[in-house]
Amino acid sequence: AVVSTQSTGTFCLYTSMGGDEEEDLKAPPTGYGSTAGEDDVPLETYYDKLGLGPANYIVWGVLTLICLSDMSELTLVTLIIQHLRCEWKLDLLFETAITSSVFMAYALGGVLFGSVSDKYGRRFILLLAILGLFFFGIMSALAVNKWQFLAARVAVGLCIGANFPTTLVFTAEVVASKYREYGIALIIIVANFGMIFVGLCAYLLLNRVGWRWFVVLMALPALVSAIALFIIPESPRYLVASGDRERAMEALRWYFKWNKVEFPETWKLRIHDALQRGNMKEILTPKYRRETILLSIMYFGNLYIIFGLVVFLPIALTEGFCGTAAKKPRLDCQKPSQADLLAYVVITSASIFACILGLVVGKFIGRKIPLRIFTFSLFILTCTLYICISQFVTQVLFFLTKFASAAANVIIWFIILEIYPTVVRNTATGFVNFWGKFGGAISAALVYFLYYVNPFLSVTSFVINGFISFVASMFFDKETKDLLLEDTLGESQVENES
């Protein structure tokens, strides 16, 4: 029998076993051990005493600034593509390559750097990636031809892929488990605001300063983010999982100092052995395989629609959608008007309201049921995009589709960050993120290309992926609401067995 006491973070096993099994328990395998004594205090208890205060807000502020930089860089190409077409006389295939390159590199960056973050720390990978984001953002503006621009955007995508999953993991790890929904929702809200932000900046500046200065201005938040990273410590939860008691205590003292809470000097922090971290095989073991596959499928379908709309909206608003199916001309040098850019901002703003709704229902209802409701709504709304009564009705339907996809995205991220232990959390996040961003990369290329064949073919691809995401959600039956964030594979295993 197994007894789990999550409130104290202690786990007790009572069983009868043979001598060989007793020997096995004396030396727990790498990734499952702990050097904690019976009186050691778990990190969650420290966090409960710490509460939520200025230190947490400072860290979240830095992470949201990084996220804003990421999403601004991710979406700006879709707003300047007509300018690039005019300057470099791009053909359709090269436009498709430029539009999709950053999304594909984004997908690769998540899976490549997820395990690096689990091995070497959240703060290290964020600093490396955000400096790269600033440098290659500037290189994009300085590109003298289309090939240099394409190479710079691929590098930008790799940096975003390293950044975004890590910001979410970092956000969830620096507060008590009861507060994590607020941090995760904040990052996702800012991610969606980043798309609105770049659209608003385009509305105000793009046609006035030109695309090169616009790209330079969009790179500046990354530089500010890099400087801000130096004022915050590493994730205490990561340091506990890595066995670094001294740095974990130092980081905790920083949090207690800024929150103006007396640090409990008499407590001894429960620490783990120097665990093996970032092992991707663990997320595909029977314990996690089903959830990992279903989350990957749902995220693939959802991000196909989200990023497909990012690509689809600017060209549909600029070059038309209703009444032009099956005879879509490719306009050589038509740049988006101020009205088109404003419509893009309004439609994209749906994601902000959706994130707030996702936070509320996730906090008070749970994960499983809202996920099914949102994915079903998304599927139905993609079907309505075939309706083409007027430009206004089409824009309203785009708004609602954006809303449903963003709400589903919040719930999916809650689950991803709650279901895996610290030693593989960023690895798992990077893996699932890869499949989501892979769907986004395919969407960026396919939706853009299909638009000029027949806009309704792009809509059909949205419908198919909405249906796939909904079906996967019906098979996902694990509720993660109110679970404590576990640090080691052994802790999570005991919880599941209990």
Side-chain angles (χ1 to χ4, degrees), residues 391-444:
Q391 186 79 351
F392 174 76
V393 171
T394 300
Q395 290 179 6
V396 170
L397 293 175
F398 280 143
F399 182 93
L400 294 175
T401 304
K402 190 79 174 175
F403 185 96
S405 61
N409 201 39
V410 172
I411 303 298
I412 290 171
W413 270 111
F414 280 162
I415 297 170
I416 292 172
L417 294 170
E418 291 166 344
I419 205 169
Y420 301 101
T422 303
V423 290
V424 293
R425 185 171 296 123
N426 217 49
T427 301
T429 301
F431 181 84
V432 176
N433 188 63
F434 166 79
W435 290 108
K437 299 313 183 292
F438 183 62
I442 293 175
S443 176

Side-chain angles (χ1 to χ4, degrees), residues 28 32-41 240-245 268-275 488:
Y32 293 84
S34 172
T35 59
E38 290 184 2
D39 297 327
D40 290 357
V41 179
V240 166
S242 63
D244 195 337
R245 186 192 301 273
K268 182 181 179 183
L269 177 64
R270 179 189 181 204
I271 205 76
H272 299 286
D273 295 321
L275 304 174
T488 69

Side-chain angles (χ1 to χ4, degrees), residues 180-186 188 355 358-363 366-367 408-419 480 485:
R180 64 173 176 255
E181 290 102 335
Y182 300 119
I184 296 168
L186 175 64
I188 298 174
C355 290
L359 169 63
V360 172
V361 299
K363 179 72 175 176
R367 316 293 190 240
N409 201 39
V410 172
I411 303 298
I412 290 171
W413 270 111
F414 280 162
I415 297 170
I416 292 172
L417 294 170
E418 291 166 344
I419 205 169
T480 61
L485 293 184

Side-chain angles (χ1 to χ4, degrees), residues 65-66 126-127 130-131 134 221-231:
L65 186 58
I66 293 172
L126 284 176
L127 184 59
I130 199 67
L131 287 172
F134 171 72
L223 179 61
V224 178
S225 302
I227 296 171
L229 269 173
F230 285 99
I231 70 174

